[in-house]
Amino acid sequence: MTSWTHVLAVLVGAARPDGDVYAHFDSLRGFPDHLAVAQRLNLVRDAAEPVADDDPEVVPTDAGRAFIEQFRLTELPEGRANYWHLRHAALLEPAAAELTRRWNALHAERPSRPDRP
């Protein structure tokens, strides 16, 4: 099951100056699912050109950058996303609610796989 916190972690990582989408993950188990949801919600996309030799080639979309700004996600700390809720619920909860709304709207337009949020 994909968590909204980890979908946000993909987006925030992709927007970092170094573009490290793994920056807020300790374990990469489930990462492909989080990435797929972020892509399906049009928050990130594959880079048009290689970013760097070792980096995933994922960048935020314009909609993803607007989402980061709207929900002040640059204020989230470095480190694992698993701990963001402990001190940053005021940032996470509205962003997660919006992701839920967008996911439900997308799901209403066309059915999704049942293993997604």
Side-chain angles (χ1 to χ4, degrees):
M1 180 68 168
T2 301
S3 79
W4 293 131
T5 298
H6 291 94
V7 172
L8 293 170
V10 170
L11 173 60
V12 171
R16 290 167 47 108
D18 63 5
D20 184 0
V21 295
Y22 301 130
H24 302 291
F25 290 85
D26 184 42
S27 166
L28 297 181
R29 186 176 8 177
F31 179 84
D33 292 331
H34 307 309
L35 174 60
V37 170
Q39 288 173 323
R40 186 142 183 229
L41 289 171
N42 192 36
L43 298 172
V44 298
R45 63 172 175 77
D46 292 334
E49 299 176 10
V51 177
D53 291 339
D54 297 342
D55 294 338
E57 297 178 0
V58 176
V59 295
T61 62
D62 290 342
R65 289 192 185 283
F67 194 93
I68 290 168
E69 185 175 322
Q70 177 183 356
F71 292 99
R72 303 177 7 240
L73 299 181
T74 57
E75 296 177 28
L76 290 168
E78 293 293 322
R80 292 177 59 194
N82 286 351
Y83 300 112
W84 286 349
H85 71 282
L86 297 175
R87 293 203 171 133
H88 301 282
L91 295 173
L92 290 178
E93 290 172 4
E98 178 60 14
L99 291 179
T100 299
R101 186 195 69 74
R102 291 181 185 195
W103 183 261
N104 289 340
L106 183 65
H107 183 67
E109 292 172 13
R110 57 188 155 172
S112 67
R113 290 180 29 195
D115 62 334
R116 300 286 191 236

